[in-house]
Amino acid sequence: QVQLVESGGGSVESGGFLRLSCAASGYSYMNYFMGWFRQAPGKEREGVAAITNFGSTTYRDPVKGRFTISLDNAKNILYLQMNSLKPEDTAVYYCAFRGNVWVPSPPLDSRDFTDWGQGTQVTVSS
């Protein structure tokens, strides 16, 4: 069973930065993709960025140019570098995984992912 453990959340001021990490274990697929999702209070969970194990990425428009997703295949760690943070980025951020599938470009629909981490809180103050 795939296990995902997020870390790196916290509280920062607007314009600040954070790097989220997600340690993944329990899989040995040749093809897979992973993603970061977030859920703010009273809102639905939304995809932020996703990456395949061969490096193809997808970003939600509001984070393009500010967030960077990366995957260390050797260490099985997924990262999300978040720069120029805004109050509207405040949410619980979740790491997600889908294995045994090849896609040319990873999706940002939560229904395409099968495994989830417990989430880490990111709070951006104005």
Side-chain angles (χ1 to χ4, degrees):
Q1 184 171 347
V2 178
Q3 293 185 328
L4 305 170
V5 180
E6 302 100 332
S7 61
S11 297
V12 296
E13 294 185 350
S14 182
F17 63 91
L18 284 172
R19 189 177 79 158
L20 304 183
S21 299
C22 173
S25 61
Y27 64 94
S28 60
Y29 300 112
M30 181 175 293
N31 295 306
Y32 60 92
F33 54 82
M34 298 183 71
W36 288 100
F37 289 75
R38 66 187 181 187
Q39 187 167 18
K43 295 187 177 181
E44 293 187 355
R45 187 173 299 188
E46 64 179 15
V48 175
I51 187 169
T52 65
N53 62 306
F54 53 84
S56 179
T57 59
T58 304
Y59 291 93
R60 178 172 292 275
D61 284 346
V63 308
K64 287 181 179 178
R66 299 190 297 123
F67 291 10
T68 302
I69 190 170
S70 60
L71 178 62
D72 186 328
N73 286 309
K75 297 181 179 179
N76 293 340
I77 299 178
L78 178 71
Y79 298 100
L80 185 67
Q81 178 67 43
M82 305 186 294
N83 298 330
S84 302
L85 282 163
K86 304 176 180 180
E88 51 263 44
D89 294 318
T90 295
V92 177
Y93 283 71
Y94 298 89
C95 171
F97 177 95
R98 169 74 181 274
N100 200 29
V101 61
W102 182 89
V103 293
S105 182
L108 287 178
D109 189 327
S110 61
R111 294 170 295 182
D112 292 312
F113 293 79
T114 55
D115 302 275
W116 296 83
Q118 81 288 349
T120 185
Q121 177 71 46
V122 172
T123 303
V124 184
S125 59
S126 58

